[in-house]
Amino acid sequence: MPTPAERYLKPEVIQTVSRLDLRARFIVEGFMAGLHASPFHGFSVEFSEHRRYAQGDDTKDIDWMAYAKTDRLYVKKYQAETNITGWLLMDLSESMGYTHSQKLTKLDYCICLAAAMGYLMVHQQDPVGLVTFGEELRASLPARSKRKQLGDMLGVLAAAKPSGGTDVGGALKKVSAMAKHRGLMMLFSDLLTDRDSTLEGLRRLRHAGHDVIVFHVLDAAEVEFPFSGTVDLTDPETGENLILDAAGMRSDYADAVREFREDLQTECRKMGADFVPLHTGLQFDRALLEYLSHREARF
């Protein structure tokens, strides 16, 4: 039985909240409520500034209060150890505005995720920056850890509208040139663009020493294909349309989507990037857990 806070991990609930700052807060609080209720490598809000004791650590740094609570040895991390610079990279192409029956479009869903991660990072005193893009970069906020940064980011995200095409690969190459320090690059996109260019952009980030998490967000209908009868599908970015028989296409379509994602996941794995497949019907906690897992693994 989910707690009242955990209810806000459900897209159908969060869409009833109009203000983006409240959406971010509720998602994070709901996530943390669930995190407290289940083991996550000993991680919780209380121990976000700790790491597991390793042979060779000074025993004077052991937190015995943490040991009393968890029966595990933790040492307090210094500020220099705990900071990770994050970048939220948001695709604003026209296709991101699609939804079939969900209340949240792909862009709405991604913005909620990005806002929650920004909220989490700022409250952990981690510098975080934001880049939005289509065929060109549209907005850019340098990475900062001040509380004002959250308001600035939420203002940009709240005003974001999907339009035009996208050049994910080109945007990633520009971000790689902009980022002065190594950090964690978090890409939010449906990746309905040139595959090879996108992968080359991701490789550029990895070559520059950045950690990368790709949040691949599709609409629930793009994954589950709930259509029946004759369907007229239109590409929102090119205007091209295709009329087909849903029943006759369902199996081939499911295979194509699976192969599309498996190919991207395989290529990301080869370059050492994380690939997280999501759709707009899923709770938000999976993406947040991926972020925290990645953050924890660095220390």
Side-chain angles (χ1 to χ4, degrees):
M1 186 73 176
T3 66
E6 288 177 280
R7 289 178 60 245
Y8 285 105
L9 292 170
K10 298 179 180 296
E12 65 269 25
V13 175
I14 205 68
Q15 63 89 18
T16 64
V17 180
S18 58
R19 285 174 44 186
L20 183 55
D21 59 334
L22 292 181
R23 286 184 174 187
R25 176 183 168 186
F26 290 152
I27 289 170
V28 170
E29 289 184 353
F31 172 67
M32 289 302 182
L35 201 60
H36 276 300
S38 62
F40 171 57
H41 306 297
F43 184 95
S44 73
V45 180
E46 295 173 79
F47 304 123
S48 62
E49 301 305 324
H50 292 67
R51 61 173 169 80
R52 293 290 293 275
Y53 173 81
Q55 188 173 2
D57 286 335
D58 193 329
T59 55
K60 291 185 295 185
D61 293 330
I62 292 176
D63 188 328
W64 296 107
M65 290 292 290
Y67 175 75
K69 290 183 179 182
T70 66
D71 200 32
R72 294 176 179 176
L73 293 176
Y74 289 88
V75 295
K76 186 75 173 176
K77 291 188 288 191
Y78 296 102
Q79 187 67 30
E81 290 184 275
T82 65
N83 285 140
I84 177 174
T85 298
W87 287 89
L88 308 172
L89 313 178
M90 184 65 62
D91 180 357
L92 299 186
S93 59
E94 186 71 34
S95 67
M96 292 291 287
Y98 174 74
T99 181
H100 172 60
S101 60
Q102 302 289 327
K103 295 294 185 181
L104 297 179
T105 66
K106 289 182 282 187
L107 181 58
D108 291 333
Y109 189 92
C110 286
I111 285 174
C112 287
L113 277 182
M117 288 182 180
Y119 180 97
L120 194 57
M121 294 192 77
V122 168
H123 281 263
Q124 290 175 315
Q125 299 182 324
D126 287 333
V128 57
L130 170 69
V131 173
T132 64
F133 64 91
E135 292 177 311
E136 300 289 340
L137 298 190
R138 298 191 188 176
S140 175
L141 293 175
R144 296 191 176 96
S145 57
K146 296 179 180 179
R147 292 296 175 96
K148 182 179 180 296
Q149 179 77 345
L150 181 60
D152 292 343
M153 288 194 304
L154 295 184
V156 172
L157 289 172
K161 304 294 181 186
S163 64
T166 189
D167 180 6
V168 175
L172 297 183
K173 292 173 186 177
K174 290 175 182 176
V175 169
S176 180
M178 287 168 45
K180 297 178 181 178
H181 305 288
R182 293 179 181 179
L184 174 59
M185 299 291 176
M186 292 168 279
L187 173 64
F188 303 83
S189 175
D190 57 12
L191 299 180
L192 299 180
T193 183
D194 184 84
R195 166 194 180 275
D196 293 340
S197 175
T198 296
L199 293 175
E200 179 56 33
L202 292 171
R203 291 189 191 100
R204 182 76 62 90
L205 290 176
R206 291 292 296 131
H207 182 73
H210 299 291
D211 292 328
V212 175
I213 304 180
V214 178
F215 295 107
H216 185 221
V217 178
L218 296 176
D219 186 73
E222 291 176 319
V223 175
E224 299 167 353
F225 202 75
F227 307 104
S228 59
T230 301
V231 182
D232 187 350
L233 302 178
T234 302
D235 186 317
E237 295 181 21
T238 66
E240 296 180 6
N241 72 307
L242 178 66
I243 298 175
L244 52 84
D245 173 60
M249 277 293 297
R250 182 166 284 107
S251 178
D252 288 343
Y253 177 87
D255 289 342
V257 171
R258 185 179 63 256
E259 290 171 6
F260 173 50
R261 286 189 140 175
E262 286 178 351
D263 172 60
L264 290 170
Q265 188 159 34
T266 297
E267 293 301 319
C268 283
R269 186 181 298 117
K270 287 179 182 177
M271 69 180 78
D274 290 333
F275 181 85
V276 185
L278 300 167
H279 68 68
T280 55
L282 294 174
Q283 290 191 171
F284 293 104
D285 53 343
R286 182 178 177 189
L288 289 171
L289 191 59
E290 288 288 341
Y291 157 70
L292 285 179
S293 297
H294 205 96
R295 186 182 193 278
E296 191 75 351
R298 289 170 59 95
F299 306 116

